[in-house]
């Protein structure tokens, strides 16, 4: 360190700019190393090993900037740090007589742009357990993939089929570990030895077991239909029709939801994926042409007047993303 500073001081004004920049970075790194050594000189060797292992970079999610953003927000009142955005999804599920049925729309949005019209939001966890995801598509996809992998290892280790409560516990512990920074709202449904079960898991790790539920930015319309028409011990046909109407209400009441309605029927015998049950936003087909021939109605007079119009006000309805 001393030799480096001595050589830097003896170089004078004839040091090239690029070399000076590299030396400045090296000096700053050396000063930081000396400060760290001085701070850790009084720490026992065992504590040093623990501190070194804690400082090593690890894989997975990293939220080191969240505390920094919170501190900057307190110091600078006008600073606007990134906040959570709307999920742009409608997912729902309900319990019927023989099992559970899950449903979701197929639109994936990026801010106010439709990124994907056929996004699959019903994820496989186990042969008789599926999960609907709303929120950040990557977070929901990877969270459910890790849960499916862990449940496969659990089934191979124990020799038994996984339970729905086990999957829900794994998911909510994973989400609670990251304090909501993994933006995934999940609806877990399945059938095990205790019967059909349906859980709603929120991004912060809270959960609830319900006979019917809906999540996403279109949940208001879906829950309105479910609360009005849900009945215990419904047949599969009635439950499927109610689910399609609930997802359709969410699609028509939310600009972030759209596409078609996908569903998954889970019973004791297995699961069945049903794609494109309904397409509420399908464009209306106009008639090809008029049936009467040209000249049927005679034109008596024809006058063309130009209109001088002035644009006074223009408004555009934008989708709420926050």
């Amino acid at each position: 360190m001393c030799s480096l500073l001595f050589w830097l001081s003896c170089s004078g004004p004839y040091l090239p700019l690029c070399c000076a920049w590299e030396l400045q970075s090296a000096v700053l790194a050396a000063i930081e190393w000396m400060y760290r050594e001085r701070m850790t000189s009084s720490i026992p060797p065992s504590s040093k090993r623990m501190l070194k292992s804690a400082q090593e970079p690890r894989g997975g999610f990293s939220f080191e900037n969240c505390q920094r953003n919170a501190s900057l927000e307190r110091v600078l009142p006008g600073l606007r740090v990134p906040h959570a955005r709307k999920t742009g999804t409608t997912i729902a599920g309900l319990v019927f007589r023989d099992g559970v049925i899950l449903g979701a729309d197929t639109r994936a949005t990026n801010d106010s742009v439709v990124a994907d019209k056929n996004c699959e939001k019903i994820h496989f966890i186990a042969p008789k357990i599926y999960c609907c995801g709303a929120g950040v598509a990557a977070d929901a996809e990877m969270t459910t993939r890790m849960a499916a992998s862990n449940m496969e290892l659990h089934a191979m280790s124990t020799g038994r089929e996984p339970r729905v409560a086990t999957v829900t516990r794994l998911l909510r512990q994973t989400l609670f570990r990251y304090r909501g920074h993994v933006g995934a709202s999940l609806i877990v449904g399945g059938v095990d030895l205790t019967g059909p079960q349906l859980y709603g898991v929120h991004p912060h790790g809270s959960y609830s077991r319900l006979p019917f539920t809906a999540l996403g930015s279109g949940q208001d319309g879906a829950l309105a239909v479910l609360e009005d028409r849900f009945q215990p011990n419904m047949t599969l046909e009635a439950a499927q029709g109610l689910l399609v109407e609930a997802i359709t209400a969410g699609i028509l009441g939310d600009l972030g939801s759209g596409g078609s309605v996908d569903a998954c029927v889970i019973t004791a015998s297995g699961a069945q994926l049903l794609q494109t049950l309904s397409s509420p936003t399908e464009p209306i087909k106009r008639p090809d042409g008029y049936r009467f021939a040209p000249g049927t109605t005679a034109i008596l007079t024809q006058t063309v007047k130009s209109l001088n119009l002035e644009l006074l006000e223009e408004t555009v309805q934008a989708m709420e993303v926050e």
Side-chain angles (χ1 to χ4, degrees):
M1 176 64 187
C2 296
S3 60
L4 178 63
L5 293 177
F6 176 76
W7 183 77
L8 181 61
S9 61
C10 294
S11 298
Y14 304 103
L15 193 66
L17 181 60
C18 59
C19 186
W21 176 259
E22 294 175 357
L23 283 175
Q24 182 181 4
S25 303
V27 169
L28 292 176
I31 294 175
E32 182 181 359
W33 176 81
M34 292 178 60
Y35 175 76
R36 188 180 304 165
E37 288 294 325
R38 180 178 300 176
M39 293 296 294
T40 58
S41 59
S42 59
I43 301 178
S46 59
S47 301
K48 283 187 177 181
R49 288 193 296 269
M50 295 177 60
L51 182 61
K52 183 179 180 181
S53 61
Q55 292 178 349
E56 290 179 354
R58 298 180 178 178
F61 295 103
S62 176
F63 301 100
E64 298 176 353
N65 294 331
C66 297
Q67 187 176 2
R68 179 206 65 181
N69 292 342
S71 302
L72 291 176
E73 208 168 21
R74 288 192 298 268
V75 176
L76 304 174
L79 179 66
R80 181 177 176 83
V81 300
H83 291 279
R85 293 176 173 269
K86 284 194 172 182
T87 56
T89 296
T90 302
I91 57 176
L94 59 96
V95 179
F96 64 97
R97 180 188 303 169
D98 302 323
V100 177
I101 182 170
L102 305 174
D105 70 310
T106 59
R107 173 178 291 180
T109 57
N110 180 13
D111 199 3
S112 58
V113 179
V114 178
D116 190 0
K117 298 181 180 179
N118 297 305
C119 179
E120 295 182 359
K121 302 179 182 181
I122 303 178
H123 308 282
F124 171 86
I125 302 292
K128 297 180 183 178
I129 303 175
Y130 277 75
C131 177
C132 294
V136 182
D139 289 352
E141 178 73 22
M142 296 310 299
T143 303
T144 52
R145 279 189 183 182
M146 289 188 291
S149 177
N150 290 330
M151 286 301 101
E152 180 67 21
L153 295 175
H154 175 75
M156 294 174 62
S157 176
T158 60
R160 297 191 296 254
E161 294 182 357
R163 297 190 179 186
V164 184
T166 307
V167 176
T168 305
R169 182 180 181 86
L170 175 65
L171 291 173
R172 63 187 176 89
Q173 285 181 342
T174 302
L175 295 176
F176 178 76
R177 188 180 304 123
Y178 296 104
R179 303 298 192 272
H181 294 293
V182 176
S185 300
L186 307 173
I187 294 180
V188 184
V191 178
D192 55 17
L193 55 90
T194 60
Q197 301 177 50
L198 185 70
Y199 292 89
V201 184
H202 298 273
H204 288 81
S206 59
Y207 78 105
S208 56
R209 181 179 177 181
L210 299 167
F212 64 88
T213 185
L215 292 176
S217 55
Q219 66 176 349
D220 296 336
L223 280 176
V225 175
L226 291 173
E227 290 177 353
D228 181 57
R229 296 186 49 194
F230 176 80
Q231 295 179 359
N233 297 324
M234 298 178 67
T235 62
L236 175 59
E237 291 76 12
Q240 182 174 320
L242 177 59
L243 183 72
V244 170
E245 289 191 16
I247 300 297
T248 301
I251 289 175
L252 297 179
D254 176 40
L255 292 177
S257 305
S260 57
V261 179
D262 291 348
C264 179
V265 180
I266 309 171
T267 59
S269 59
Q272 181 183 6
L273 285 171
L274 305 174
Q275 294 184 341
T276 318
L277 288 179
S278 175
S279 298
T281 58
E282 185 176 357
I284 301 175
K285 294 183 180 180
R286 297 180 178 273
D288 297 336
Y290 297 104
R291 298 182 178 178
F292 48 87
T296 303
T297 303
I299 300 176
L300 301 180
T301 58
Q302 182 176 356
T303 305
V304 178
K305 294 183 178 180
S306 59
L307 300 177
N308 297 324
L309 302 178
E310 181 180 358
L311 181 62
L312 300 178
E313 183 180 359
E314 182 179 2
T315 59
V316 179
Q317 182 183 4
M319 182 180 70
E320 298 180 1
V321 296
E322 295 185 357

